[in-house]
Amino acid sequence: MKIMQPAPILGIDLGTTNSLVGVVDSGFPILLADENGSRSTPSAVLHGEDDKVTVGAVALRQRALHPTRTVTSVKRLIGRRPGEAGWVPPYVLSDLKTTPVEVSAEILKHLKAVAERALEQSVSKAVITVPAYFNDAQRNATKQAGELAGLEVVRILSEPTAAALAYGLDKLSEHQKIAVYDLGGGTFDISVLEMRDGVFQVLATAGDTQLGGDDLDRLLARFIAEKVSLPPDDIRVSEGAEAVKKRLSSDETASFNGLEITRAELEKIAKPWIGRTRTHCLRALSDAGIKAEQLDEVILVGGSTRMPLVRDHVREIFGREPNTSQNPDEAIALGATIQAGILGGSLRQVLLLDVTPLSLGIETFGGLMNIIIPRNTTIPAKAGEMFTNAVANQSSMLIRILQGERELAKDNWELGRIEVPFPPVPKGGARVGVQFRLDANGILHVLARDTATSTDTTLEIRGTAVDVADERVEQMIAESVDFAFEDMNERVWTETRLKAEELLPAVDLALAQLGNTIDDGEKSEVIRHAAAVKNLLDSPAHDARALKEATQRLDDATQALAVMLIDRAVEESLSRRGLV
Ligand code: ADP
Ligand code: MG
């Protein structure tokens, strides 16, 4: 039997050129592929003569055959009236008696089907992204398109915000600022965002709705057409040009019909084209009232930012290395998916805080912190350790679960405690295994097992193990650095004290047993070292180094006693058995 999960919410990037769909699966956002294995669907819709609607790569391929029946870049039209600024005549949309909302709905229907096929279940909710500058009419029209496609649109999300989520920048602190440079197929958008109260505020947006990779394809097609003596609008040339352009993002040369084209040649053609983004960037910065150096991050979005020339240009404009850690053409869809996961509850702090902000551990002998899951461990995570009782006849062990970076338990935060009962045993007789499991939802499951009886005691700690306010994390870390020396001294002191407290009674016992059999010089030497250790233990100075050295000297001085004790034991046993 297949266990049905609650229907997930889709994250959708409804792009001008390409559209993508994703979902959070087992705590991770993934983009879904169609039956051809492609995660990106061209935003192209073909209305066949038989009223059959085709979406995606197939529609795009037929565009040359049916130019009046194929609609591309419908996003430019959605929510706009003809004649309105920014309005561009569609590929003869009117011939088809269909509206931009209906065409967009076809794309969304297709994405919904891709998702349902991949997930093997039906879905009915989605988060859809739109450009930051979309007005109410455009946002509403997008929502309508979703509803027409059978999707409840639970949120319309700004593209730069989605991109920032994908880049994990929701972890930024208050008032940090980022720029999102998005160069796609047909549009260029630049946005400046600021983190305020845990959410991104768009400070400024600028751009050009008629500037994108397609323009460069046309320029390159013209260059190629001239060299191979074909018309530039020949489909082979125009498609070849895009392929050559993409190839040149990773290779130094690419060929078309035997013609060799170098990256340098493409860059020469592309320079004025990419130069057009510059003023928009400066404009956005000035509208936001900030200078480039006040930005904390510049992120790249859109397929065209894969070009090295574009990256160079961005670096030059903003005077910093752009963040390229995500696939630029998938970032918006990934961010929409993360938002969908958060809204649907399948993704809580997981992706927002996918590592443990502070170490998790328990208190051990002498009030020390024993780390079980270190800070910055990616979750989910699992780790454990074995502990024993410090006192004889103890009949239970108290386990205090702690969070923090300080060496002493008392300086860390207590998240909870559990008591593990066991039958009274001598010191060191009990063996209790403690396991920490931090699941994908940030819930800490603590399990303590008495190995003698296999009795488990468990505790669940929700939220606090992973979800800690940034300021508190910063404060904890700052303190652990400030007190690093004192803390370390206390840890060494405590560890040495525990050792000394074991050694001293053992020395007394050995002296008593050996009595007069050892020479006085040796005996007074041992007594002197033992007294030094006792003195240091009693002194309030807590001089860890002195105690460590004194304990070591006592340990060395008693080596001879230990050997004599063993010799004597052997002798006694032999004589008992009448062998000597
Ligand atoms: P949109 O946001 O407009 O829907 P995308 O972000 O998917 O579009 O970007 C599509 C554009 O990116 C196209 O012009 C395509 O040629 C270009 N592109 C994709 N991959 C590369 C690449 N490797 N090098 C250069 N351009 C690329
Ligand atoms: Mg895009």
Side-chain angles (χ1 to χ4, degrees):
M1 196 181 72
K2 208 172 147 74
I3 297 166
M4 295 296 284
Q5 298 280 327
I9 304 176
L10 301 178
I12 295 179
D13 169 11
L14 184 59
T16 309
T17 322
N18 295 300
S19 297
L20 301 88
V21 60
V23 76
V24 170
D25 179 33
S26 322
F28 293 96
I30 50 161
L31 299 183
L32 301 167
D34 63 17
E35 51 204 354
N36 302 315
S38 175
R39 293 191 296 221
S40 168
T41 299
S43 305
V45 178
L46 168 72
H47 285 254
E49 271 150 37
D50 50 358
D51 272 349
K52 191 173 170 287
V53 176
T54 312
V55 176
V58 180
L60 196 59
R61 240 175 277 132
Q62 308 252 331
R63 182 167 61 170
L65 289 174
H66 308 284
T68 61
R69 303 199 141 268
T70 315
V71 186
T72 56
S73 303
V74 72
K75 189 172 177 178
R76 294 187 195 287
L77 307 172
I78 199 159
R80 290 188 198 271
R81 284 177 301 272
E84 196 183 325
W87 186 82
V88 191
Y91 267 81
V92 257
L93 254 187
S94 52
D95 267 17
L96 301 168
K97 302 209 168 37
T98 176
T99 67
V101 168
E102 285 166 350
V103 173
S104 303
E106 293 297 347
I107 299 170
L108 291 170
K109 241 185 251 174
H110 178 86
L111 297 175
K112 179 174 182 273
V114 166
E116 290 180 336
R117 187 187 151 277
L119 299 170
E120 296 181 344
Q121 75 180 110
S122 61
V123 283
S124 60
K125 292 181 182 179
V127 169
I128 304 179
T129 56
V130 296
Y133 59 76
F134 257 29
N135 61 28
D136 266 0
Q138 291 166 304
R139 284 166 197 255
N140 280 331
T142 304
K143 213 170 164 186
Q144 261 178 41
E147 279 153 15
L148 209 55
L151 290 167
E152 181 195 333
V153 181
V154 291
R155 180 149 320 168
I156 291 284
L157 182 67
S158 268
E159 288 169 6
T161 305
L165 270 177
Y167 274 87
L169 298 183
D170 47 310
K171 293 192 195 96
L172 290 181
S173 4
E174 281 297 290
H175 302 301
Q176 288 205 291
K177 295 170 192 70
I178 64 171
V180 182
Y181 182 102
D182 180 352
L183 188 61
T187 56
F188 168 63
D189 296 311
I190 174 76
S191 316
V192 178
L193 311 184
E194 179 178 348
M195 176 60 93
R196 279 191 209 152
D197 302 325
V199 290
F200 284 109
Q201 300 286 328
V202 179
L203 294 186
T205 73
D208 185 337
T209 55
Q210 303 299 322
L211 176 64
D214 296 351
D215 303 306
L216 181 57
D217 297 348
R218 273 190 292 275
L219 295 171
L220 184 61
R222 219 181 295 158
F223 172 85
I224 291 173
E226 213 163 281
K227 300 225 164 182
V228 298
S229 311
L230 279 170
D233 52 0
D234 185 299
I235 185 88
R236 285 166 298 172
V237 176
S238 54
E239 282 182 0
E242 187 186 7
V244 164
K245 174 192 75 172
K246 288 185 179 174
R247 171 71 59 78
L248 290 175
S249 288
S250 48
D251 298 358
E252 287 295 334
T253 62
S255 61
F256 173 79
N257 263 8
L259 171 70
E260 182 107 321
I261 300 139
T262 64
R263 185 186 289 172
E265 281 173 313
L266 172 69
E267 294 192 340
K268 193 161 167 239
I269 297 167
K271 242 195 174 100
W273 164 78
I274 194 62
R276 288 169 60 196
T277 67
R278 184 194 181 85
T279 44
H280 300 295
C281 294
L282 301 180
R283 169 82 195 270
L285 286 172
S286 104
D287 285 355
I290 61 165
K291 296 207 163 61
E293 52 275 22
Q294 287 170 273
L295 289 169
D296 296 285
E297 196 88 56
V298 175
I299 64 177
L300 296 183
V301 179
S304 300
T305 64
R306 288 188 183 273
M307 290 178 62
L309 177 74
V310 174
R311 298 182 171 193
D312 293 345
H313 192 70
V314 173
R315 188 182 305 116
E316 190 261 314
I317 296 174
F318 293 98
R320 67 157 58 227
E321 202 56 46
N323 184 336
T324 56
S325 61
Q326 299 295 315
N327 282 336
D329 28 22
E330 295 186 337
I332 289 173
L334 197 65
T337 300
I338 292 169
Q339 180 65 259
I342 295 168
L343 291 171
S346 51
L347 199 64
R348 281 194 191 89
Q349 287 83 13
V350 192
L351 269 134
L352 309 178
L353 268 168
D354 54 353
V355 295
T356 49
L358 294 169
S359 300
L360 298 166
I362 70 167
E363 175 176 346
T364 55
F365 306 149
L368 294 177
M369 166 76 166
N370 185 306
I371 293 175
I372 292 185
I373 296 183
R375 159 182 153 69
N376 273 339
T377 302
T378 42
I379 57 176
K382 197 166 149 180
E385 228 173 282
M386 201 69 117
F387 296 92
T388 183
N389 57 321
V391 184
N393 289 324
Q394 207 175 321
S395 62
S396 75
M397 193 191 280
L398 177 70
I399 295 173
R400 291 180 65 211
I401 295 110
L402 305 172
Q403 177 172 45
E405 304 312 313
R406 303 288 299 276
E407 297 285 350
L408 300 187
K410 69 173 173 62
D411 296 322
N412 290 317
W413 305 324
E414 184 179 309
L415 298 184
R417 41 172 77 190
I418 47 181
E419 182 120 28
V420 183
F422 44 77
V425 285
K427 178 180 169 185
R431 288 166 66 73
V432 175
V434 176
Q435 187 191 68
F436 278 17
R437 183 168 64 84
L438 201 50
D439 72 17
N441 295 314
I443 298 168
L444 176 64
H445 304 261
V446 181
L447 178 142
R449 174 174 301 169
D450 172 16
T451 55
T453 59
S454 282
T455 318
D456 287 351
T457 313
T458 59
L459 178 70
E460 231 177 58
I461 297 166
R462 293 184 168 265
T464 43
V466 175
D467 191 10
V468 189
D470 287 350
E471 312 85 74
R472 297 195 73 205
V473 171
E474 274 160 30
Q475 193 193 342
M476 171 57 84
I477 291 167
E479 282 174 7
S480 77
V481 173
D482 291 347
F483 293 110
F485 181 77
E486 289 92 330
D487 276 12
M488 196 34 94
N489 190 64
E490 269 310 294
R491 174 176 282 277
V492 172
W493 168 267
T494 305
E495 284 169 353
T496 317
R497 174 172 63 77
L498 292 170
K499 187 175 170 194
E501 283 171 357
E502 257 181 57
L503 192 57
L504 287 171
V507 169
D508 286 345
L509 191 67
L511 288 176
Q513 284 179 350
L514 291 169
N516 304 331
T517 54
I518 46 172
D519 82 55
D520 283 350
E522 211 169 336
K523 192 170 172 178
S524 63
E525 180 84 334
V526 170
I527 291 171
R528 192 166 60 79
H529 285 308
V533 170
K534 279 182 204 148
N535 262 338
L536 283 164
L537 277 180
D538 292 340
S539 124
H542 281 205
D543 187 340
R545 220 173 96 189
L547 180 66
K548 196 169 176 177
E549 283 165 5
T551 308
Q552 189 58 50
R553 276 194 297 269
L554 176 62
D555 204 16
D556 293 344
T558 53
Q559 287 306 316
L561 297 189
V563 172
M564 284 170 74
L565 272 175
I566 292 167
D567 285 351
R568 234 175 78 162
V570 171
E571 244 169 65
E572 274 173 7
S573 127
L574 293 178
S575 73
R576 254 203 318 277
R577 287 187 266 159
L579 293 173
V580 283

